[in-house]
Amino acid sequence: GQQVMQIPQYQHVQEGEDFTTYCNSSTTLSNIQWYKQRPGGHPVFLIQLVKSGEVKKQKRLTFQFGEAKKNSSLHITATQTTDVGTYFCAGPKLYGNKLVFGAGTILRVKS
Amino acid sequence: IAGITQAPTSQILAAGRRMTLRCTQDMRHNAMYWYRQDLGLGLRLIHYSNTAGTTGKGEVPDGYSVSRANTDDFPLTLASAVPSQTSVYFCASSDSDRAGEAFFGQGTRLTVV
């Protein structure tokens, strides 16, 4: 079945350092979505990428979708304490509708 | 307020008991999902529904059942709870036949003892 792998599982950074999480799917995805879950909260949608090779930015966050539509990355520039949480990627496989999530990357930021 | 409502917020349940987790959305979304979240395992899909009247199995469906009698409601039933079903359960919905942006409920924390 479809698998979505995400690395690293956990990262602890100093405030101001950059952070990147990577997502890889075993199958081609029709789109890739990223979510953020604050501690004790529920996942909240950040962005969706649809096109092969697409890059989107939201302030300090940069999202990329691979050319083969099987991998993606989220990069945060100059992390802040407000970035703390778990970041998930998710995607339905091509021609499918099941939204499958990666295991998530837990980000902790030291001030 | 538009969104997804889950009930109960938390529950302690004796093993062997039957339990239904409720999920209601007022956004008229076609697709709905149930996930369980366990430390280190992320969000795992239990069951999903593309539209009212249809359901499908996710990654970890055993021990759970769902129904989708109408667009708004998507209850998840544990027929005979076991301790390994202790988890946080999230219901979600999306407004696309191709799995667009998903909106999540606040979650139900279930402890089976």
Side-chain angles (χ1 to χ4, degrees), chain A residues 2 9 30-31 33 35 37 41-43 45 48 88 92 94-104 106, chain B residues 31 33 35 37 39-43 45 48 50 57-59 90 96-102 104-106:
Chain A
Q2 178 187 358
Q9 183 175 358
S30 59
N31 68 71
Q33 299 169 28
Y35 293 76
Q37 183 179 25
H42 61 280
F45 176 83
Q48 177 175 288
F88 293 98
L94 204 58
Y95 309 123
N97 192 34
K98 289 190 292 185
L99 191 58
V100 177
F101 281 74
I106 300 170
Chain B
Y33 312 87
Y35 295 89
Q37 184 171 27
L39 191 62
L41 298 176
L43 293 160
L45 183 63
Y48 67 98
N50 289 340
K57 293 182 179 180
E59 303 164 274
F90 287 102
S96 169
D97 290 335
R98 301 301 293 270
E101 172 186 355
F104 281 79
Q106 298 294 325

Side-chain angles (χ1 to χ4, degrees), chain A residues 39-52:
Chain A
H42 61 280
V44 175
F45 176 83
L46 292 176
I47 206 162
Q48 177 175 288
L49 305 172
V50 179
K51 299 177 184 176
S52 170

Side-chain angles (χ1 to χ4, degrees), chain B residues 69-107:
Chain B
N70 57 61
T71 297
D72 298 344
D73 301 301
F74 191 44
L76 176 74
T77 298
L78 290 66
S80 179
V82 294
S84 62
Q85 291 178 311
T86 293
S87 187
V88 179
Y89 291 85
F90 287 102
C91 179
S93 71
S94 67
D95 184 26
S96 169
D97 290 335
R98 301 301 293 270
E101 172 186 355
F103 293 81
F104 281 79
Q106 298 294 325

Side-chain angles (χ1 to χ4, degrees), chain A residues 14-84:
Chain A
Q14 189 71 39
E15 187 174 23
E17 290 181 341
D18 292 355
F19 159 77
T20 304
T21 173
Y22 300 91
C23 181
N24 290 286
S25 171
S26 58
T27 60
T28 302
L29 301 171
S30 59
N31 68 71
I32 190 83
Q33 299 169 28
W34 285 92
Y35 293 76
K36 178 182 179 180
Q37 183 179 25
R38 294 183 185 276
H42 61 280
V44 175
F45 176 83
L46 292 176
I47 206 162
Q48 177 175 288
L49 305 172
V50 179
K51 299 177 184 176
S52 170
E54 188 171 13
V55 177
K56 285 188 177 180
K57 292 192 175 185
Q58 287 180 349
K59 297 182 180 178
R60 293 178 295 105
L61 278 60
T62 301
F63 304 85
Q64 289 187 304
F65 199 11
E67 294 290 340
K69 300 183 78 172
K70 285 187 173 183
N71 58 74
S72 180
S73 65
L74 158 59
H75 179 80
I76 302 177
T77 303
T79 54
Q80 300 175 359
T81 54
T82 53
D83 295 325
V84 162

